[in-house]
Amino acid sequence: QVQLVESGGGLVQAGGSLTLSCEVSKTGFTVEALGWYRQAPGKQRELVATISGDGRQNYAGSTEGRFKIWTDNAWKAVNLGMANLKPGDTAVYYCNAVARRYGRTNLNDYWGQGTQVTVSS
């Protein structure tokens, strides 16, 4: 099983910064991509940023230039640096892994429990 544990959320004023971290446990699995998603109250979960095995990064338009995703060399952690935060960034942030079991071809999504980020105006 792939297990993801987020940390680093909290309350910050508009214009401030936060870094979210996600510890990735992936014994027996190959992780193809890691990412961060968020869900605000009354809204659907949306992509924030992803990073693939070849290093390609993808950002939501609303976060590009303000947020940065990176991993450690072993892909056992994925981080999200957030700068110039806005009240509209308030949401529960979820860590995501796209992974397949060794010897299998089918990919599955795995999710962390989420961490709350609240940006006050």
Side-chain angles (χ1 to χ4, degrees):
Q1 186 75 325
V2 176
Q3 293 184 325
L4 307 170
V5 180
E6 302 102 333
S7 61
L11 174 64
V12 64
Q13 288 189 332
S17 301
L18 276 178
T19 297
L20 305 182
S21 297
C22 175
E23 182 179 338
V24 182
S25 299
K26 55 186 177 69
T27 303
F29 286 79
T30 297
V31 175
E32 301 287 350
L34 291 167
W36 287 92
Y37 290 72
R38 67 187 182 187
Q39 188 167 18
K43 295 187 177 181
Q44 291 189 330
R45 191 172 297 187
E46 63 177 6
L47 177 147
V48 175
T50 62
I51 185 167
S52 59
D54 59 4
R56 284 181 298 171
Q57 300 173 24
N58 182 43
Y59 294 89
S62 61
T63 63
E64 195 159 16
R66 300 188 297 123
F67 291 12
K68 177 70 174 177
I69 188 170
W70 74 95
T71 68
D72 68 346
N73 289 337
W75 272 50
K76 291 185 176 181
V78 58
N79 305 297
L80 183 70
M82 305 183 291
N84 190 21
L85 283 161
K86 304 175 181 180
D89 295 317
T90 295
V92 177
Y93 284 69
Y94 295 92
C95 181
N96 168 264
V98 179
R100 56 181 172 81
R101 193 179 292 275
Y102 288 162
R104 303 282 181 87
T105 58
N106 58 304
L107 293 170
N108 289 296
D109 278 293
Y110 298 88
W111 297 93
Q113 80 287 353
T115 185
Q116 177 72 45
V117 172
T118 302
V119 184
S120 63
S121 58

